[in-house]
Amino acid sequence: MSGSAPVRGLEVLRAAYGVALLAAPEQLGRAVTGERPSATATWVIRALGARHVLQAAVTARARPGITRRLAAAVDVLHLASLGPIALLCTPRERRLTGADAVVEAFFAAAEHRHDRRD
């Protein structure tokens, strides 16, 4: 049971990150790029926030094991998609993509680490 507290913390962190993306996409985009994000980028930031909130809710309710591996896989797939997406982006949007890649890598590694401990 000692592994449950860090996982719960990870879920709270993921949910808080998602809520921040939903609530303040323009401010977070500006913090990364120094400029107001486009309407499309703002929509994508909000959609990503919703995904993180949903993923936190699912992993919080599920038993360890396969759910943790699936959560890590979602993060890895998202991370893998960022390379091709970055090729289609403007330089400003690439900075957003790069920041997102760092966050996705963190969450994927954290899910994997906690899955191994469960």
Side-chain angles (χ1 to χ4, degrees):
M1 275 298 178
S2 65
S4 64
V7 172
R8 201 160 278 177
L10 179 61
E11 293 154 355
V12 169
L13 181 62
R14 183 188 291 277
Y17 176 66
V19 167
L21 292 175
L22 282 166
E26 290 179 353
Q27 293 86 341
L28 293 171
R30 186 182 304 266
V32 172
T33 66
E35 302 173 36
R36 183 178 182 191
S38 68
T40 301
T42 299
W43 182 89
V44 170
I45 292 167
R46 279 196 175 112
L48 180 60
R51 194 269 292 180
H52 278 290
V53 169
L54 178 63
Q55 189 168 338
V58 169
T59 56
R61 293 181 142 306
R63 285 190 272 166
I66 189 70
T67 305
R68 297 269 168 246
R69 287 188 286 281
L70 288 173
V74 167
D75 293 325
V76 168
L77 288 172
H78 181 94
L79 182 59
S81 74
L82 292 174
I85 289 170
L87 295 174
L88 303 173
C89 291
T90 66
R92 176 177 46 161
E93 291 166 336
R94 277 190 209 106
R95 287 191 295 270
L96 289 170
T97 304
D100 187 41
V102 170
V103 172
E104 292 301 326
F106 165 78
F107 281 125
E111 290 287 4
H112 177 71
R113 179 174 180 259
H114 290 294
D115 175 53
R116 293 176 58 90
R117 292 172 67 188
D118 287 340

